[in-house]
Amino acid sequence: MRVFALVKRILRQIVRDKRTMGLLIMAPILILTMLHLVFNGDDYIPKVGLTELPEPLEKQLKVDGADTKDYDSITEAKGALKERTIDGYVSFSNNSLQLTLEGSDPTVNGATIKWLQEALQPLQPDSSTAKLKVDYLHGSNDISQFDSFGPVLLGFFIFFFVFLIAGVSFLRERTTGTLERLLCSPLRKWEIVVGYIIGFGLFTMIQATLIVSYAIYVLGMLMEGAFVYVLIITLLLSLTALTLGVLLSAFANNELQMMQFIPLVIVPQIFFSGLFNLETISDYLSWIGPFTPLYYGADALRNVMIRGYGWGDISFDLLMLTGFSLLFMILNILALKKYRSI
């Protein structure tokens, strides 16, 4: 009977917590649905440029399986490759066929090479097709999945742990009465928010620096650009996670409820961060990416670490991360109005 009474109390406690009940049922359904839409999307179709090719060879390459586009010169094709409007371009010189790939994604590289090999199969091997050279704008044929996905995972882990630590820590400030006492002080709401963010921000700066340094200099993660740019990106990503964690903690009453935001807010972002090609994701999901902070953080990290880009190429991503941080800070100030007015 005592065991039965304990079971009854636990079941009653769970049933009364509507948020937990909803999470237990809806969160797995939501994530499984997203996985279904991601992995059951269309196959990736390479985008390939054709330039300075013999007419018979060019006609042979215009087959199904790739989205081909003609370019008048190699210079024009290189420009399109750098802007990532194509995955590679095919040219012909010195009696050999050359494929130049963008190179930052091994999966796209493999799909493009496979398409070209299949397209050339009907042709009899001769001097014009037997020699195929592969060149890379970024990386090389030795680039690994870890090098390609490393920057994305780096951004995700920093975002995840900063969000969790900031949210739980700020929640503890509320539950212990510290926030209530601050609201009774002469401090204004914006001063409280800024103070918390700066305080937690100093710790996240150290955390981000240590994680990035370990990944690059100990694990040997590919690093083509400047280290300082990676630090700036991770610091802004940490600031975004920090302000988001503090904001959502205002709507949680305990640590369990704070953690319930993880499958709803954090996990879905991984689908739009670059681990999966957005062009193969179902149209029902692909539009969500630009509305998530990790989308811009991961893009900036890959631009610097894999492609070696500089400030001009990552400025938009940094601007978006700054915008997310400012938005969450403003919402934090408004959220404090649910507590005692000053």
Side-chain angles (χ1 to χ4, degrees):
M1 291 298 296
R2 287 178 295 182
V3 173
F4 178 76
L6 179 60
V7 171
K8 183 177 179 181
R9 185 187 66 81
I10 292 174
L11 292 176
R12 185 180 300 169
Q13 182 179 347
I14 294 176
V15 170
R16 287 177 178 175
D17 189 345
K18 304 301 182 184
R19 184 181 298 182
T20 300
M21 286 290 294
L23 179 74
L24 290 172
I25 299 173
M26 297 306 300
I29 292 176
L30 174 64
I31 295 175
L32 285 173
T33 302
M34 296 184 73
L35 286 170
H36 168 75
L37 294 174
V38 167
F39 290 111
N40 284 342
D42 298 329
D43 293 332
Y44 184 75
I45 299 177
K47 298 182 290 293
V48 183
L50 307 177
T51 179
E52 301 181 359
L53 294 176
E55 185 174 349
L57 186 57
E58 182 175 343
K59 183 179 299 184
Q60 176 62 34
L61 293 181
K62 290 185 176 180
V63 296
D64 294 336
D67 182 9
T68 58
K69 183 177 180 180
D70 295 326
Y71 290 94
D72 296 330
S73 66
I74 293 180
T75 302
E76 185 180 355
K78 283 183 177 178
L81 190 63
K82 185 176 181 181
E83 294 175 359
R84 284 181 284 162
T85 56
I86 57 176
D87 302 316
Y89 66 87
V90 182
S91 59
F92 184 80
S93 62
N94 298 326
N95 202 32
S96 64
L97 194 66
Q98 177 156 334
L99 171 64
T100 304
L101 296 167
E102 195 273 339
S104 61
D105 190 335
T107 303
V108 174
N109 296 342
T112 307
I113 293 175
K114 180 180 178 182
W115 163 80
L116 182 58
Q117 292 173 340
E118 292 178 350
L120 294 175
Q121 273 184 353
L123 296 178
Q124 293 296 326
D126 56 27
S127 59
S128 64
T129 61
K131 299 178 181 178
L132 174 63
K133 296 181 179 179
V134 181
D135 196 9
Y136 296 83
L137 179 63
H138 305 295
S140 66
N141 60 342
D142 295 327
I143 188 171
S144 65
Q145 294 287 352
F146 180 73
D147 291 328
S148 177
F149 297 145
V152 179
L153 295 174
L154 183 65
F156 174 77
F157 286 129
I158 289 175
F159 189 91
F160 172 76
F161 287 110
V162 170
F163 170 86
L164 187 60
I165 293 172
V168 172
S169 299
F170 190 78
L171 177 63
R172 189 175 295 117
E173 294 285 284
R174 283 180 38 230
T175 56
T176 57
T178 304
L179 180 61
E180 188 72 18
R181 289 191 293 271
L182 287 174
L183 288 171
C184 296
S185 70
L187 287 172
R188 298 181 181 275
K189 292 183 177 66
W190 69 267
E191 291 176 320
I192 295 174
V193 172
V194 171
Y196 272 113
I197 289 174
I198 293 176
F200 288 124
L202 292 175
F203 171 76
T204 59
M205 287 175 60
I206 299 173
Q207 179 202 36
T209 303
L210 291 175
I211 293 175
V212 171
S213 301
Y214 179 80
I216 294 173
Y217 297 114
V218 178
L219 299 181
M221 191 177 291
L222 181 65
M223 181 64 182
E224 296 290 342
F227 181 75
V228 65
Y229 290 143
V230 177
L231 281 182
I232 293 173
I233 296 167
T234 53
L235 292 179
L236 284 176
L237 193 60
S238 298
L239 181 62
T240 306
L242 174 63
T243 52
L244 179 60
V246 172
L247 173 63
L248 294 182
S249 69
F251 303 95
N253 296 321
N254 51 58
E255 284 82 356
L256 176 61
Q257 290 189 353
M258 183 64 207
M259 294 182 68
Q260 290 173 0
F261 287 113
I262 293 175
L264 300 177
V265 177
I266 303 301
V267 174
Q269 293 194 55
I270 197 68
F271 296 112
F272 312 105
S273 60
L275 286 180
F276 307 97
N277 196 305
L278 289 180
E279 295 185 23
T280 64
I281 295 178
S282 171
D283 293 337
Y284 295 106
L285 288 180
S286 58
W287 62 271
I288 301 177
F291 295 95
T292 61
L294 198 56
Y295 173 89
Y296 300 99
D299 182 63
L301 286 171
R302 296 188 81 174
N303 279 338
V304 173
M305 297 178 68
I306 299 179
R307 303 182 180 103
Y309 289 169
W311 183 263
D313 298 290
I314 64 173
S315 56
F316 177 75
D317 292 322
L318 298 183
L319 182 63
M320 291 301 299
L321 289 176
T322 304
F324 275 115
S325 299
L326 292 175
L327 173 63
F328 295 149
M329 287 179 66
I330 294 172
L331 294 176
N332 269 306
I333 296 172
L334 297 176
L336 285 181
K337 290 185 177 181
K338 64 182 291 188
Y339 300 105
R340 185 180 302 173
S341 300
I342 298 176

